[in-house]
Amino acid sequence: MTIPQKISKTQINQIKNKPNESGLVFDKYGKSQNINDYSDREISEMALGIYKYSKNILVDGDYFVDLNKVINTKCQLEEVTYYKKPTLEDFKTNAHNSIGNIRTFYIKDYFLITEDEIFGLKEHRITKYLFKIGFLKNGRNKFRGLYSISNDYKTLILEKYPKDLFHPIKKYINGLFFLDEYYISNFVVESKINIHKGK
């Protein structure tokens, strides 16, 4: 499993030349204390907060979470856009929120959830991580401050939540760190929007 975004070769060389000034904590969470034991891909991943050897990830609060301690994941869905503009009747029946009519999801945040507190928190934001690796895109205009995800699958998992919303957890947490896309399978979508299967 690879990530969409990598750091440049110039940045990698700078890290190799001055590893102690790089800010990377490979000596604590990596496989070796010698930077020369890492491939360019591994250095790029560590620079983006990914330490696969120890299953640690740098979350948005600038601290590390051991993914072995994560029991749940969560997404906050704020807005959606539609293929077919909702009518007044649609608002009465919620017909417009069928999964097949949604064009784009607009996300506020993604979280990893641990049973025990880490730095006083049980919910650990990974929104910036998902943006930094190239998965989430910035919302525009009235969606400024949110992040967009296209409704490519047009499918609900277990008739509970859109498949596309689980995709970053599936690929860039489970697949990347555990080589098992359903390793952490507990996933919750918090939203005022009631998305349904439709007819």
Side-chain angles (χ1 to χ4, degrees):
M1 177 61 61
T2 58
I3 55 177
Q5 185 79 19
K6 298 181 176 70
I7 67 170
S8 69
K9 180 64 175 175
T10 300
Q11 290 172 296
I12 291 170
N13 288 340
Q14 288 173 345
I15 291 170
K16 286 181 175 179
N17 290 335
K18 296 182 178 180
N20 294 331
E21 298 176 17
S22 68
L24 301 188
V25 287
F26 56 90
D27 54 336
K28 183 175 182 180
Y29 295 120
K31 65 181 181 182
S32 169
Q33 295 190 354
N34 186 343
I35 195 66
N36 294 315
D37 291 335
Y38 295 89
S39 67
D40 286 2
R41 177 182 55 79
E42 289 171 326
I43 292 172
S44 182
E45 288 175 348
M46 290 189 296
L48 294 168
I50 300 164
Y51 290 77
K52 291 195 291 193
Y53 180 79
S54 63
K55 306 291 189 289
N56 272 272
I57 183 173
L58 184 66
V59 298
D60 296 0
D62 204 29
Y63 61 93
F64 283 90
V65 168
D66 181 346
L67 290 171
N68 289 302
K69 297 180 179 178
V70 172
I71 58 171
N72 200 0
T73 56
K74 183 172 78 172
C75 166
Q76 293 176 329
L77 173 64
E78 290 286 303
E79 301 283 351
V80 296
T81 56
Y82 303 101
Y83 287 105
K84 180 184 175 185
K85 186 177 179 180
T87 65
L88 289 176
E89 188 62 29
D90 288 335
F91 282 109
K92 294 177 185 176
T93 63
N94 198 42
H96 59 299
N97 281 319
S98 66
I99 189 65
N101 189 41
I102 293 173
R103 181 189 299 273
T104 307
F105 304 102
Y106 287 92
I107 305 302
K108 182 180 180 185
D109 282 308
Y110 271 90
F111 294 90
L112 303 174
I113 300 171
T114 52
E115 189 170 6
D116 298 320
E117 291 185 352
I118 301 173
F119 286 98
L121 299 169
K122 290 187 177 183
E123 295 189 356
H124 315 282
R125 189 176 286 110
I126 55 167
T127 318
K128 289 180 183 175
Y129 159 73
L130 293 173
F131 178 76
K132 194 165 50 175
I133 66 169
F135 177 78
L136 292 177
K137 308 298 180 190
N138 275 320
R140 298 179 179 178
N141 302 322
K142 76 174 202 172
F143 301 111
R144 198 175 192 86
L146 300 176
Y147 299 90
S148 67
I149 299 176
S150 295
N151 183 19
D152 294 327
Y153 289 107
K154 297 179 176 59
T155 302
L156 293 177
I157 295 181
L158 304 174
E159 297 191 16
K160 290 183 178 179
Y161 53 81
K163 186 174 181 178
D164 290 276
L165 297 186
F166 181 63
H167 188 79
I169 301 299
K170 177 181 175 181
K171 295 292 184 183
Y172 305 116
I173 298 294
N174 291 330
L176 190 61
F177 285 88
F178 297 101
L179 304 179
D180 175 355
E181 294 184 339
Y182 295 94
Y183 185 85
I184 303 168
S185 57
N186 293 329
F187 180 64
V188 174
V189 175
E190 283 186 354
S191 181
K192 65 181 185 294
I193 303 165
N194 180 20
I195 299 173
H196 57 90
K197 187 177 180 180
K199 295 180 180 178

